[in-house]
């Protein structure tokens, strides 16, 4: 599950110490999945006892939310109790869906501050696509508001892997749509035999590239990146993409995704440094967390 390090202009736990929280997330996710899976296999997933509750009993209810304790954070009980999964795959889906709620909390709070979250992101299929299909070692900036030359710009997605940054524009088109990339300000989409124009996504990619390149150059930090036009269900008309750009459609998607998922690389210091620098120049809107939330 990729880590959501930046969302819109929300304050992020990762901004305070990305080197710490990325590793902590991976460890907690692994520990809680193993405990949850064990409890499910032993038939004790939602058992409740009047006495002390064991580590396995009612585990799925307890692992999602967290209470903050300045230096150490622990999992807190959640009242919502999902249906018992029929198989391990359903269990995994429940786990990832609940973990999305937790990710949104980390992407909108620190120990002292918070941003007001649009919880509609829990139903954002594109956000789920990134978070639930990529490995834990991939870091996602989703629709970040960034500051560049005294202007605030909303970018699309920046996916920071151990080996490179993918600067992505996703095209929300119907399955089977034929995409005709063209030079100039417009591309042509062909849907069910009907053609229509859309703004050229390369222009958005170049804007995001300018941000990424300028930040990395400012701090003399070298880390590779590529630009991606992503449309998993569409067909790109045969054409040569611009330099350092890929078109990922239906024919290319599985191979592109499998390479990401099979990448046997841990989190890298240069990767985390690049993410830290990119977040440093992103817009933040937050308020001080109420005292009762700080001390919960």
């Amino acid at each position: 599950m990729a880590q959501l390090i930046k969302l819109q202009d929300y304050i992020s736990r990762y901004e305070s110490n990305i080197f710490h929280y990325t590793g902590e997330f991976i460890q907690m996710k692994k520990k809680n999945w193993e405990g949850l899976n064990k409890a499910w296999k032993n038939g004790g997933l939602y058992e409740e006892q009047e006495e002390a509750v064991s580590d396995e009993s009612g585990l799925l209810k307890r692992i999602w939310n967290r209470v903050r304790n300045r230096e150490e954070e622990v999992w807190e009980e959640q009242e919502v109790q999902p249906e018992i999964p029929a198989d391990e795959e359903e269990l995994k889906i429940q786990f990832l869906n609940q973990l999305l709620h937790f990710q949104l909390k980390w992407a909108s709070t620190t120990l002292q501050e918070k941003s007001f979250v649009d919880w509609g992101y829990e139903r954002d299929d594109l956000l789920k696509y990134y978070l639930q299909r990529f490995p834990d070692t991939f870091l996602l900036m989703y629709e970040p508001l960034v500051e560049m030359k005294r202007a605030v710009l909303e970018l699309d997605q920046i996916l920071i892997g151990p080996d490179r940054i993918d600067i992505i524009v996703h095209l929300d088109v119907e399955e089977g749509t034929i995409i005709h990339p063209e030079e100039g300000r417009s591309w042509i989409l062909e849907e069910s035999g009907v053609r229509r124009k859309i703004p050229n996504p390369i222009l958005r990619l170049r804007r995001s590239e300018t941000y990424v390149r300028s930040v990395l150059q400012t701090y003399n930090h070298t880390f590779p990146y590529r630009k991606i036009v992503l449309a998993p269900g569409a067909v790109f008309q045969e054409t040569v993409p611009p330099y350092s750009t890929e078109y990922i459609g239906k024919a290319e998607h599985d191979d592109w995704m499998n390479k990401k998922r099979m990448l046997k690389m841990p989190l890298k210091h240069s990767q985390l440094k690049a993410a830290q620098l990119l977040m440093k120049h992103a817009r933040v809107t937050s308020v001080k967390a109420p005292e009762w939330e700080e001390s919960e």
Side-chain angles (χ1 to χ4, degrees), residues 33 35-50 53-64 77-87 90-95 98:
W33 166 248
L36 178 66
N37 196 24
K38 181 180 178 182
W40 175 75
K41 289 178 177 177
N42 292 340
L45 192 59
Y46 301 126
E47 291 178 1
E48 295 184 18
Q49 302 175 3
E50 293 182 4
V53 181
S54 71
D55 285 343
E56 296 177 6
S57 300
L59 183 62
L60 188 57
K61 293 174 59 183
R62 298 199 311 278
I63 68 172
W64 314 120
E77 180 173 347
Q78 181 173 330
E79 293 301 325
V80 177
Q81 178 171 306
E83 295 181 1
I84 296 178
D87 53 38
E90 283 191 14
L91 181 70
K92 187 178 296 184
I93 291 172
Q94 280 194 11
F95 179 75
Q98 294 287 352

Side-chain angles (χ1 to χ4, degrees), residues 8 51 61 83 104 117 133 143 165 181 190 200 214 228 243 253 264 269 285 288:
Q8 284 275 314
E51 303 296 332
K61 293 174 59 183
E83 295 181 1
L104 288 172
V117 183
R133 300 191 66 178
E143 300 176 352
I165 297 171
E190 189 173 345
N200 187 341
S214 63
I228 307 289
Y243 174 74
H253 181 262
K264 303 300 182 183
H269 184 274
T285 302
K288 181 176 173 57

Side-chain angles (χ1 to χ4, degrees), residues 10 14 20 32 50 55-56 68 73 120 149 153 178 181-182 184 206 211 219 231 250 271 283 287-288:
Y10 301 166
Y14 294 90
H20 168 72
N32 283 280
E50 293 182 4
D55 285 343
E56 296 177 6
R68 295 186 287 276
E73 298 183 313
K149 294 182 179 179
L153 305 174
I178 300 174
E182 296 185 350
R206 288 173 180 166
Y211 172 72
Y219 296 93
K250 189 172 185 177
Q271 170 197 13
R283 170 65 65 92
V287 298
K288 181 176 173 57

Side-chain angles (χ1 to χ4, degrees), residues 24-231:
E24 183 181 358
F25 176 86
I26 292 173
Q27 292 175 7
M28 288 191 304
K29 175 175 172 279
K30 181 177 184 290
K31 177 182 177 181
N32 283 280
W33 166 248
E34 290 174 349
L36 178 66
N37 196 24
K38 181 180 178 182
W40 175 75
K41 289 178 177 177
N42 292 340
L45 192 59
Y46 301 126
E47 291 178 1
E48 295 184 18
Q49 302 175 3
E50 293 182 4
E51 303 296 332
V53 181
S54 71
D55 285 343
E56 296 177 6
S57 300
L59 183 62
L60 188 57
K61 293 174 59 183
R62 298 199 311 278
I63 68 172
W64 314 120
N65 289 346
R66 303 167 63 111
V67 291
R68 295 186 287 276
N69 185 16
R70 295 297 181 180
E71 298 180 357
E72 183 177 359
E73 298 183 313
V74 295
W75 296 89
E76 180 191 65
E77 180 173 347
Q78 181 173 330
E79 293 301 325
V80 177
Q81 178 171 306
E83 295 181 1
I84 296 178
D87 53 38
E88 188 170 314
E89 190 61 30
E90 283 191 14
L91 181 70
K92 187 178 296 184
I93 291 172
Q94 280 194 11
F95 179 75
L96 293 178
N97 284 338
Q98 294 287 352
L99 201 54
L100 174 60
H101 180 85
F102 167 73
Q103 287 237 54
L104 288 172
K105 282 196 168 183
W106 261 29
S108 60
T109 63
T110 65
L111 300 184
Q112 290 83 29
E113 296 180 76
K114 62 183 291 186
S115 298
F116 296 102
V117 183
D118 176 0
W119 291 106
Y121 279 112
E122 288 188 303
R123 301 182 298 277
D124 188 319
D125 289 336
L126 183 59
L127 179 59
K128 286 184 179 181
Y129 164 85
Y130 284 112
L131 295 183
Q132 297 183 357
R133 300 191 66 178
F134 290 88
D136 300 341
T137 52
F138 283 76
L139 314 176
L140 177 66
M141 299 177 70
Y142 191 77
E143 300 176 352
L145 272 65
V146 303
E147 298 177 348
M148 191 166 61
K149 294 182 179 179
R150 300 182 181 179
V152 178
L153 305 174
E154 180 176 328
L155 307 183
D156 290 80
Q157 297 92 42
I158 299 175
L159 188 64
I160 308 166
D163 59 338
R164 76 180 196 193
I165 297 171
D166 282 345
I167 302 168
I168 304 174
V169 168
H170 174 265
L171 299 183
D172 185 12
V173 297
E174 296 178 2
E175 184 82 15
T177 295
I178 300 174
I179 301 176
H180 301 267
E182 296 185 350
E183 296 182 3
R185 303 192 65 84
S186 300
W187 280 14
I188 303 295
L189 300 186
E190 189 173 345
E191 300 167 317
S192 302
V194 178
R195 291 191 167 208
R196 66 182 177 93
K197 289 184 177 183
I198 62 168
N200 187 341
I202 297 298
L203 302 179
R204 286 155 60 189
L205 280 178
R206 288 173 180 166
R207 182 175 63 181
S208 298
E209 179 189 22
T210 299
Y211 172 72
V212 171
R213 185 180 61 244
S214 63
V215 169
L216 296 182
Q217 287 181 348
T218 296
Y219 296 93
N220 295 316
H221 185 67
T222 301
F223 198 71
Y225 65 82
R226 286 186 68 82
K227 303 184 290 294
I228 307 289
V229 179
L230 178 64

Side-chain angles (χ1 to χ4, degrees), residues 220-271:
N220 295 316
H221 185 67
T222 301
F223 198 71
Y225 65 82
R226 286 186 68 82
K227 303 184 290 294
I228 307 289
V229 179
L230 178 64
V235 177
F236 283 92
Q237 184 189 49
E238 188 171 341
T239 185
V240 178
Y243 174 74
S244 191
T245 303
E246 298 178 48
Y247 298 156
I248 306 297
K250 189 172 185 177
E252 301 83 12
H253 181 262
D254 286 351
D255 183 60
W256 179 72
M257 177 64 72
N258 288 336
K259 286 180 180 178
K260 301 291 188 188
R261 300 181 74 165
M262 297 299 291
L263 187 65
K264 303 300 182 183
M265 295 177 66
L267 290 165
K268 297 291 188 179
H269 184 274
S270 58
Q271 170 197 13

